[in-house]
Amino acid sequence: MKGFGKGLAVVLLGASLLAACGTKTRVSKQQTGSDKQEQASSSSSVDEAKKKEEQAKLEKEAYASVFSDYELMLQVAKTDGAVYEKVGKILPNLKHPINSWVVESLLATPSNQRYALYDVDGNGTKELLTASISDNQSIFVTGIYYQKQGQPTLLAQGFVAGNGGARSSFNLYKDGTVLSIGWSSGTGDGIGLLYQLSKDGGEAQKIEEQDFRVVGSDASAVFGKSSDLKIDVDSLEWQMFDQLETPSEAEKSSSAQGILPEELSNLAGTWTGQVSRASETASIKMTISPDGQVTSDVNGYSSSSRFEGVEEVGPNTYRYVTSPGSYSSALTPSLGVGGVGVKYDYGFKLEGNQLTILIWEARSDVAFDYTKPMSSSVVLTK
């Protein structure tokens, strides 16, 4: 019996070892299969990422001539010289002519320029949108390009004139329509053109045109478009142009120090207010950075400017020091000026938390009288 017990024990032990080995073998096989699945999944993810990258490259290459224009403008923006001289270098060399105010805005704030590729009409071919982004990350779209028979074509633009009061913007809708609006800030009157993008890649068709009072109106409603049909451009995937470099730490430090004298440190910040023009009320938000960057928003329409310093011209009164021909719209939000044989200078009066926007006007051959600003001033508060 003892011998039998030992033999049984050996048999049972051997069976246990075999069972254990068999179990280990099966587990090992399962792990190997799992590894293969992970490798296959990883390989699939890499392939998918490559496909997306290649697709994005092709979509961008379809608008190569437009990107070439922006490369030119951003390169010129880095050079020395007056803004009007830079504009003169750019406009004759653009493959796709654009409004000079769009160019001036870009030159004033090159680092704010962005682009997005988005299929507005859902036909599988993306349109190219260009825009300027403000400090609060809101988007002002400056252009929409579409493919007309395989060629990039400019359809609509957005800009705020530095003087003269001309304004332009456009809305995008989910049904593939684009509403281009142009108006005068002085009268508030303008014209709207509604276009339909072509599903087959042909020319966009103008389907409606109306003269209407733009200021104070819901342009979408005027053209029978519901608010939920409008594309939210702020939510699109906006990207930086390749030519825009990340500022160095030294540049960031220099920018943070600013150009404002200590007694005007209160000028930096966000100022708000309202002004009535032609029985309409405009809501204004003006943000001034210590480095001289100015962004203004008037009823949702943004503009940007830059000043290089300030000069005191009276008690608590200063003029902006800017480059000749620089873009000045953001310095004088809601105040449109223009004329033949006259010149303008821009500034402000700062009294505590009250900022009065000032414009001085003089004949081209006469010096400015800084004791007599134009009467149409704007008062903002912090």
Side-chain angles (χ1 to χ4, degrees):
M1 291 294 293
K2 289 182 180 179
F4 176 78
K6 289 181 180 179
L8 179 61
V10 171
V11 171
L12 291 175
L13 178 60
S16 299
L17 289 172
L18 287 172
C21 290
T23 302
K24 287 182 179 179
T25 302
R26 285 194 294 271
V27 170
S28 177
K29 287 180 180 178
Q30 289 173 354
Q31 289 175 338
T32 301
S34 176
D35 289 343
K36 288 181 179 179
Q37 289 177 353
E38 289 179 3
Q39 290 174 358
S41 176
S42 175
S43 177
S44 176
S45 298
V46 171
D47 290 343
E48 188 65 27
K50 285 183 177 179
K51 287 180 181 178
K52 287 184 178 180
E53 184 178 341
E54 290 172 358
Q55 180 63 28
K57 184 178 179 181
L58 289 173
E59 291 168 349
K60 190 174 177 180
E61 286 177 350
Y63 293 95
S65 56
V66 181
F67 282 103
S68 176
D69 282 347
Y70 272 80
E71 180 180 3
L72 168 66
M73 290 188 283
L74 291 169
Q75 285 178 344
V76 173
K78 296 178 181 179
T79 63
D80 295 330
V83 171
Y84 70 89
E85 293 175 341
K86 296 180 182 181
V87 172
K89 293 178 182 178
I90 291 171
L91 290 178
N93 295 298
L94 293 177
K95 296 179 176 65
H96 302 274
I98 59 178
N99 191 283
S100 62
W101 290 120
V102 177
V103 178
E104 288 205 24
S105 178
L106 179 147
L107 293 174
T109 57
S111 62
N112 290 13
Q113 304 309 304
R114 298 290 186 272
Y115 74 90
L117 289 159
Y118 182 77
D119 189 359
V120 177
D121 56 352
N123 70 342
T125 300
K126 292 185 178 181
E127 283 68 45
L128 171 64
L129 307 174
T130 58
S132 177
I133 187 170
S134 66
D135 291 341
N136 64 4
Q137 302 303 299
S138 65
I139 290 290
F140 180 71
V141 189
T142 56
I144 174 173
Y145 299 81
Y146 72 103
Q147 292 290 329
K148 183 176 73 173
Q149 298 175 346
Q151 296 298 319
T153 305
L154 178 64
L155 179 60
Q157 300 181 81
F159 61 83
V160 177
N163 54 61
R167 303 286 187 268
S168 182
S169 68
F170 58 90
N171 296 338
L172 306 174
Y173 300 97
K174 298 173 185 176
D175 59 359
T177 53
V178 178
L179 176 57
S180 177
I181 311 164
W183 74 100
S184 166
S185 63
T187 65
D189 296 328
I191 185 172
L193 302 173
L194 185 65
Y195 295 94
Q196 176 69 62
L197 291 169
S198 173
K199 289 284 188 180
D200 60 5
E203 184 175 7
Q205 298 298 312
K206 183 174 71 174
I207 57 178
E208 189 175 350
E209 178 178 337
Q210 283 195 55
D211 293 322
F212 70 108
R213 185 162 190 76
V214 177
V215 177
S217 298
D218 181 350
S220 295
V222 171
F223 283 81
K225 299 292 182 181
S226 60
S227 58
D228 60 348
L229 198 61
K230 186 178 177 181
I231 294 173
D232 177 15
V233 294
D234 286 337
S235 67
L236 301 184
E237 187 178 345
W238 294 98
Q239 303 179 60
M240 295 181 69
F241 286 91
D242 295 341
Q243 291 73 29
L244 297 178
E245 299 177 358
T246 303
S248 65
E249 292 303 319
E251 290 173 328
K252 289 179 180 178
S253 175
S254 174
S255 175
Q257 292 176 1
I259 59 176
L260 295 175
E262 185 176 349
E263 63 270 21
L264 287 180
S265 59
N266 188 43
L267 180 64
T270 299
W271 302 83
T272 59
Q274 292 185 327
V275 62
S276 295
R277 293 281 185 272
S279 302
E280 301 291 347
T281 299
S283 296
I284 301 170
K285 182 170 73 172
M286 183 179 188
T287 302
I288 303 175
S289 300
D291 64 353
Q293 178 68 37
V294 182
T295 302
S296 293
D297 184 287
V298 181
N299 284 350
Y301 297 101
S302 298
S303 60
S304 298
S305 303
R306 179 179 292 279
F307 61 91
E308 299 173 357
V310 293
E311 178 185 347
E312 187 170 9
V313 294
N316 301 317
T317 304
Y318 302 82
R319 62 175 290 270
Y320 292 110
V321 178
T322 60
S323 298
S326 61
Y327 194 71
S328 60
S329 179
L331 304 179
T332 58
S334 86
L335 296 177
V337 294
V340 178
V342 294
K343 60 183 179 180
Y344 299 93
D345 205 359
Y346 312 100
F348 59 90
K349 187 170 186 177
L350 182 62
E351 297 174 297
N353 287 331
Q354 179 173 295
L355 180 69
T356 304
I357 308 301
L358 302 176
I359 299 179
W360 293 275
E361 181 184 49
R363 289 206 326 260
S364 300
D365 58 344
V366 176
F368 289 107
D369 183 350
Y370 290 104
T371 66
K372 298 178 180 179
M374 295 175 66
S375 59
S376 55
S377 59
V378 173
V379 178
L380 306 176
T381 58
K382 270 191 175 180

